Amino acid sequence: MQTERYWPMVDEEKKSLMESIHQLCVAEIAPRAKHHDETGEFPTAIVSKLAEMGMMGMMVDEKWGGAGLDVATYAMAMEEVSAACASSGVIMSVNNSLVCWPISEYGNDAQKEKWLKPLAQGQKLGCFALSEPGHGSDPAGLQCRAVKVPGGYKINGSKNWITNGKEADTCILFATIDPALKHKGICAFVVDTKIKGYIVSKLEDKLGITASSTAALFFEDMFVPDECLLGKEGDGFKVAMSTLDGGRIGIAAQALGIARCALEASKQFATEREQFGAPISKLQAIQFHLADMTTRLQAARLLTWHAAVKKQAGVKYSQDAAMAKLSASESAMWIATKAIQVHGGYGYTKEYVVERNFRDAKITEIYEGTSEIQRLVIAAEELRKS
Ligand code: CAA
């Protein structure tokens, strides 16, 4: 855990909130992280604590049960939680960015009252179901079908890689009224996961973030009433893409937390471990590793905060979010790899946290858009400027 705490852009009141979040992470989340990683047990007690502190709906207006905080404070909180437990970080990120945000942005008042309030208060948990077995990076071609019937839609199809898929009470679900329409046929729905026809069909056995569930979902003649449609018919792709822009800031912040944990562990190890008659932190070879790790972490952090400030300002930030996620996730993987190198053989064992950091970092280069997709977004936005 980081000893020096630096939260710019926040006033005194928010600094004290950040201090409380940090204390919660040190005292209650970090000590349980190894257990959750080893057992894969969902961190129910941690999620309840996060909910108590208003961290499951951080950016949601207080009127709808949220904490009414800004995006940068959310990113800093995400980094804190993820430095302690990356599984808890992604559970929190999905609920905040991928579930509360689209309902806040595209939902009507009745939808906000019914769905958003309990999600933002942490009484309910959400998941975001876009990806399918044959459509991960290319969601415009998704096949899950919504057929209009009196009073609503009948939904059939399947989804893959759904974080929180096992525990979620509410699902933001994307389905098409006609696959031939490609992205223009996609609709977004807010769905109660307990309804008939909603089936959690498989849970993935994963390399990292083992305490967060990743599920395959299956929908069999599932009736969803008209009032569950988010936005208008055909708005779904825009809902998904704009939601993922914000989600990428959350995952960038998660990656920062994982990287920070690896760096802190490496610093501690390097000052305690002696070789050639002195702590290895005295060796320039180790100092160079630590210097590069620190620099890459801070560069990624500044990109993440910059994207958060732009989102908060209400200006287009798709490219900034993609740059933040690309930089933070690739830096996290790189820093975690270096951290194992600093630890030598010890770093390759489960006794040291850097082994978990290494496994947890990898997913940040994949979910909510792979690094290759982030590069596509960055290049497309850059070419648009010329
Ligand atoms: N915001 C709003 N609208 C957007 C947008 C954005 N960021 N990006 C594109 N659009 C709109 C475009 O303006 C266009 O609209 P019009 O037809 O009105 O002009 C429309 O969407 C189609 O745009 P594109 O032609 O650019 O779309 P594309 O099919 O070529 O896709 C892509 C672009 C960037 C590759 C996109 O498909 C993408 O981001 N893919 C990655 C998907 C992803 O991140 N999946 C992760 C799922 S969530 C997850 O990981 C699981 C979890 O639980 C954590």
Side-chain angles (χ1 to χ4, degrees):
M1 298 296 295
Q2 193 178 30
T3 42
E4 180 215 8
R5 291 185 306 278
Y6 173 62
W7 297 299
M9 305 179 289
V10 296
D11 55 25
E12 282 311 311
E13 195 187 327
K14 283 186 202 141
K15 273 203 183 104
S16 107
L17 169 73
M18 288 307 303
E19 192 58 50
S20 314
I21 294 172
H22 180 77
Q23 292 311 332
L24 171 79
C25 292
V26 173
E28 302 199 39
I29 302 182
R32 297 183 199 182
K34 187 172 164 60
H35 166 79
H36 287 293
D37 174 58
E38 284 171 355
T39 59
E41 184 189 310
F42 185 82
T44 309
I46 294 175
V47 175
S48 300
K49 283 273 170 199
L50 295 175
E52 261 172 47
M53 289 188 68
M55 292 170 70
M56 296 305 279
M58 287 189 78
M59 297 168 289
V60 175
D61 200 315
E62 284 162 307
K63 180 178 169 196
W64 302 115
L69 290 160
D70 59 289
V71 187
T73 304
Y74 164 62
M76 289 184 235
M78 264 300 298
E79 179 183 325
E80 291 300 318
V81 173
S82 304
C85 173
S87 291
S88 302
V90 73
I91 294 164
M92 175 182 152
S93 175
V94 166
N95 202 71
N96 276 274
S97 308
L98 299 190
V99 182
C100 287
W101 189 84
I103 308 176
S104 290
E105 188 68 15
Y106 297 102
N108 56 39
D109 281 2
Q111 289 171 328
K112 289 180 189 173
E113 185 63 39
K114 179 170 180 188
W115 305 100
L116 182 57
K117 259 193 185 168
L119 284 161
Q121 289 166 343
Q123 291 161 2
K124 293 207 165 164
L125 186 71
C127 69
F128 178 86
L130 176 68
S131 302
E132 297 184 357
H135 292 272
S137 291
D138 179 21
L142 65 80
Q143 299 293 308
C144 182
R145 200 62 194 267
V147 175
K148 189 77 191 84
V149 292
Y153 295 82
K154 195 143 268 188
I155 298 188
N156 281 283
S158 55
K159 296 284 169 184
N160 248 28
W161 319 120
I162 310 306
T163 305
N164 295 347
K166 179 170 172 244
E167 300 81 11
D169 308 284
T170 305
C171 174
I172 307 290
L173 171 64
F174 298 88
T176 179
I177 47 169
D178 180 358
L181 294 174
K182 299 290 279 183
H183 74 269
K184 291 188 196 298
I186 297 173
C187 305
F189 299 95
V190 199
V191 176
D192 179 343
T193 64
K194 306 297 178 300
I195 60 176
K196 192 164 168 279
Y198 187 109
I199 298 154
V200 177
S201 54
K202 182 187 167 205
L203 292 173
E204 304 298 343
D205 188 8
K206 309 191 297 285
L207 175 71
I209 54 158
T210 54
S212 75
S213 66
T214 303
L217 307 177
F218 182 64
F219 312 109
E220 196 174 44
D221 286 337
M222 182 175 78
F223 175 75
V224 174
D226 284 328
E227 59 264 28
C228 295
L229 183 67
L230 206 50
K232 299 193 298 294
E233 263 191 14
D235 279 353
F237 195 72
K238 191 177 80 179
V239 173
M241 290 299 111
S242 56
T243 299
L244 282 167
D245 282 343
R248 288 165 187 166
I249 296 177
I251 298 306
Q254 184 203 20
L256 296 178
I258 297 167
R260 184 176 105 192
C261 182
L263 173 61
E264 292 302 317
S266 301
K267 282 175 4 194
Q268 187 179 340
F269 183 85
T271 49
E272 288 166 2
R273 169 80 169 153
E274 294 197 358
Q275 290 292 278
F276 308 107
I280 61 170
S281 59
K282 300 279 180 210
L283 299 172
Q284 203 176 47
I286 298 298
Q287 290 175 2
F288 281 5
H289 284 324
L290 295 176
D292 290 343
M293 291 158 81
T294 306
T295 306
R296 282 190 71 154
L297 173 59
Q298 187 64 354
R301 187 181 275 135
L302 294 176
L303 279 173
T304 306
W305 288 349
H306 182 69
V309 168
K310 279 184 84 169
K311 181 178 182 204
Q312 188 66 35
V315 293
K316 191 161 166 50
Y317 68 98
S318 309
Q319 189 191 39
D320 304 272
M323 290 193 291
K325 181 177 183 284
L326 176 66
S327 170
S329 60
E330 293 197 343
S331 298
M333 197 63 235
W334 190 87
I335 290 166
T337 307
K338 285 279 180 208
I340 292 186
Q341 200 64 24
V342 169
H343 282 70
Y346 292 104
Y348 201 64
T349 70
K350 290 195 181 289
E351 202 181 330
Y352 286 81
V353 72
V354 293
E355 183 270 347
R356 188 178 85 226
N357 298 149
F358 181 84
R359 288 184 288 105
D360 287 344
K362 186 61 207 169
I363 190 61
T364 66
E365 294 181 317
I366 298 171
Y367 57 22
E368 300 198 28
T370 60
S371 291
E372 291 74 13
I373 289 295
Q374 307 311 324
R375 288 186 167 89
L376 280 184
V377 172
I378 295 163
E381 293 287 335
E382 200 55 28
L383 288 165
R384 228 169 263 146
K385 293 179 195 166
S386 49

